[in-house]
Amino acid sequence: MLIIDVINDLEFPGGENVLPWALRMVERLSPFAERMRKAGVPVIYVNDNFDLWRSSFTDVYKHCTRKDSRGQRVARALKPQPDDYFILKPKHSAFFATSLVPLLEHLGTKKLLLAGIATNLCVFFSAHDAHMHEYKITVLSDCCCAESDKDHDLALDQLQRFLRVRVCRGDEVHLEPRSRRRATRRPPPEFK
């Protein structure tokens, strides 16, 4: 599961419009991510570095949860857990100039669940690159957000029409029983 740009200060033009949508997204994404963790699905946070080139995840988290950060409530509510993975990215796509592909290969990943901010930007670009890497992709419509319904819906429509991405709500994701999963190095469970 890729959780994209949720550790976010939302301090960009239009960030004030994203905030109410992001707060609603948290209500669905937080329990969904916990469900995936309990099922043994690796949870990978891929996050913008905010041009803090010498930063670590801890630095980015502190930056986004500071008192005057517009996105502090979202970032705090979706803080990664100790067993989660975290990758910093310099641009929109989770794949561009990051260590994501080697990590996914190490985990034996064939399918990806995508969630995060913003549906029409970083989630969209990440889905495109995931498609180029030939992953089977599901985007969780209720676990993503954008500045408006129009931006959100248009991005999801484009991903469905042109990349054949599966778009569904988190409650529509069903995991296969454990007995059907492979028994090699902590493989990710299969999902439908």
Side-chain angles (χ1 to χ4, degrees), residues 108-180:
T109 304
K110 303 286 185 230
K111 300 176 183 180
L112 293 173
L113 291 166
L114 273 64
I117 301 172
T119 315
N120 60 323
L121 293 167
C122 297
V123 173
F124 186 81
F125 283 97
S126 297
H128 271 267
D129 281 356
H131 174 75
M132 298 302 283
H133 285 280
E134 299 184 354
Y135 290 103
K136 188 171 181 180
I137 308 158
T138 298
V139 175
L140 303 173
S141 60
D142 61 338
C143 295
C144 294
C145 66
E147 282 188 53
S148 68
D149 273 344
K150 180 181 177 184
D151 291 337
H152 176 78
D153 294 341
L154 180 60
L156 294 176
D157 179 63
Q158 295 289 302
L159 290 172
Q160 282 181 304
R161 287 178 57 208
F162 300 113
L163 301 183
R164 307 239 188 273
V165 167
R166 178 179 179 226
V167 174
C168 68
R169 296 182 321 270
D171 63 2
E172 296 174 314
V173 172
H174 303 288
L175 298 173
E176 291 183 8
R178 285 192 180 276
S179 61
R180 294 180 61 189

Side-chain angles (χ1 to χ4, degrees), residues 39-151:
V41 174
V43 175
I44 305 168
Y45 284 73
V46 185
N47 217 91
D48 195 78
N49 71 2
F50 301 100
D51 288 329
L52 304 171
W53 288 95
R54 292 186 175 108
S55 63
S56 65
F57 163 69
T58 303
D59 298 327
V60 169
Y61 184 77
K62 285 179 184 175
H63 168 78
C64 294
T65 58
R66 68 191 189 283
K67 189 175 184 175
D68 63 339
S69 170
R70 181 183 289 141
Q72 69 169 307
R73 290 185 294 165
V74 174
R76 286 185 178 152
L78 294 171
K79 182 179 182 180
Q81 299 302 304
D83 286 341
D84 295 340
Y85 297 91
F86 195 92
I87 294 174
L88 292 176
K89 64 183 181 66
K91 297 286 183 183
H92 295 84
S93 173
F95 290 85
F96 179 78
T98 72
S99 59
L100 182 59
V101 170
L103 173 59
L104 295 174
E105 288 172 357
H106 170 74
L107 295 171
T109 304
K110 303 286 185 230
K111 300 176 183 180
L112 293 173
L113 291 166
L114 273 64
I117 301 172
T119 315
N120 60 323
L121 293 167
C122 297
V123 173
F124 186 81
F125 283 97
S126 297
H128 271 267
D129 281 356
H131 174 75
M132 298 302 283
H133 285 280
E134 299 184 354
Y135 290 103
K136 188 171 181 180
I137 308 158
T138 298
V139 175
L140 303 173
S141 60
D142 61 338
C143 295
C144 294
C145 66
E147 282 188 53
S148 68
D149 273 344
K150 180 181 177 184
D151 291 337

